Amino acid sequence: MPNERLRDALLRNGLTLEQVAKAVGVDQKTVERWITKNRTPYPKHRHKIAAMARESETYLWPDSIAPERKAETAAAELVQVFPHRNAVPVELWDRLIKEASETVEILVHAALFLVERPRFTKDLTAKAAAGARIRLVFGDPESSSVALRGEEEQLGDGTLAARIRNALTSYRPLVGVDGVEMRFHNTTLYNSIFRFDDEMIINTHVYGFQGAHAPSLHLRRLSAGDLFETYSESFESVWNLAKPATF
């Protein structure tokens, strides 16, 4: 079975078989076999290819990393645990937003706290103009999942939907901006995901608690890691199920 993840990653980054072969010091036919026959490269080659393809080793070759190494690397990916989202320092949010240059992916219900920052949408617009890919997924205010979450968080009938609509008015300037895509989801939001290039804030969700009062994880992506990639794949799954946002 071909390694479609590797093929896609190379194509997405404009890398030819010849370029990869030259970079890692192997024959072009060897690189072709890594793709068409799903052969697994040596570790030193995997690391270099993953860096070139801007993907993790565990994503490109899921079975190549020993379980014990995966566990060790996952622990290294976890930078810090915060008792609740409100405890994440403002300085950390500032740095993540400022330094992101390639990817911003946000999966939330409303993320109203982000647009309380006066320059947030302007910063996203500037990043998109500079070539960054911005993908924002909000809870559909008309959906059953939003209504249920509002009940579970004891917010009162329609409160969460109203909060989402309120947030969307602040995100409206991003409508039609090249490089910015926004969608609505109707899924169970197990975690809010805030990705800025190779770092993430994961806001876990706890039954009966509002998101701001639930624990948060600061993750930093490592090539051989699995933790960051798990949340990245989760974002992608929700994104593929979501529909274009309407304002």
Side-chain angles (χ1 to χ4, degrees):
M1 185 176 180
N3 188 334
E4 296 297 345
R5 289 186 176 186
L6 178 57
R7 188 200 306 273
D8 176 73
L10 297 181
L11 288 173
R12 196 173 347 110
N13 288 279
L15 297 168
T16 66
L17 299 184
E18 182 181 3
Q19 288 172 320
V20 175
K22 185 176 181 179
V24 299
V26 298
D27 185 82
Q28 188 172 322
K29 288 292 185 182
T30 299
V31 179
E32 187 175 346
R33 286 192 290 272
W34 290 341
I35 297 172
T36 60
K37 299 185 181 298
N38 200 11
R39 300 280 177 81
T40 302
Y42 290 122
K44 63 179 181 179
H45 294 150
R46 291 201 304 266
H47 181 74
K48 193 156 193 175
I49 295 168
M52 293 173 65
R54 300 181 182 183
E55 292 290 354
S56 69
E57 290 182 49
T58 53
Y59 173 78
L60 296 174
W61 302 281
D63 300 324
S64 66
I65 311 298
E68 58 272 16
R69 188 184 171 205
K70 282 187 178 182
E72 292 171 356
T73 307
E77 285 184 288
L78 180 58
V79 179
Q80 191 169 355
V81 178
F82 299 96
H84 47 84
R85 194 191 69 213
N86 282 347
V88 178
V90 172
E91 295 77 15
L92 177 56
W93 288 111
D94 286 344
R95 181 182 65 77
L96 294 175
I97 295 168
K98 179 181 178 181
E99 293 181 358
S101 61
E102 297 180 356
T103 304
V104 175
E105 293 175 342
I106 295 175
L107 169 60
V108 291
H109 279 131
L112 187 57
F113 77 98
L114 283 178
V115 287
E116 289 172 349
R117 315 169 73 85
R119 288 199 50 83
F120 185 64
T121 55
K122 292 180 181 178
D123 287 340
L124 293 186
T125 300
K127 291 178 185 300
R133 187 184 190 190
I134 314 294
R135 296 195 291 175
L136 312 175
V137 197
F138 307 97
D140 185 342
E142 303 294 334
S143 68
S144 57
S145 62
V146 165
L148 178 59
R149 179 55 61 88
E151 292 177 16
E152 292 174 346
E153 293 186 359
Q154 303 174 29
L155 295 175
D157 187 31
T159 300
L160 182 54
R163 185 179 293 174
I164 294 171
R165 293 189 183 95
N166 186 24
L168 291 175
T169 62
S170 297
Y171 284 98
R172 191 182 301 276
L174 296 173
V175 174
V177 173
D178 288 341
V180 177
E181 298 177 83
M182 293 184 282
R183 294 185 181 182
F184 282 163
H185 72 88
N186 183 23
T187 59
T188 302
L189 191 64
Y190 296 103
N191 305 275
S192 292
I193 298 174
F194 305 88
R195 177 182 178 180
F196 302 94
D197 287 350
D198 288 338
E199 293 186 69
M200 278 184 185
I201 299 293
I202 303 300
N203 185 188
T204 66
H205 290 288
V206 180
Y207 185 90
F209 287 80
Q210 295 184 35
H213 303 147
S216 291
L217 315 175
H218 177 200
L219 306 180
R220 188 186 299 272
R221 186 183 194 179
L222 296 178
S223 177
D226 206 30
L227 190 56
F228 186 102
E229 198 59 47
T230 295
Y231 288 108
S232 183
E233 289 189 32
S234 177
F235 176 92
E236 202 67 39
S237 296
V238 176
W239 178 261
N240 291 333
L241 292 171
K243 63 182 183 180
T246 53
F247 287 76

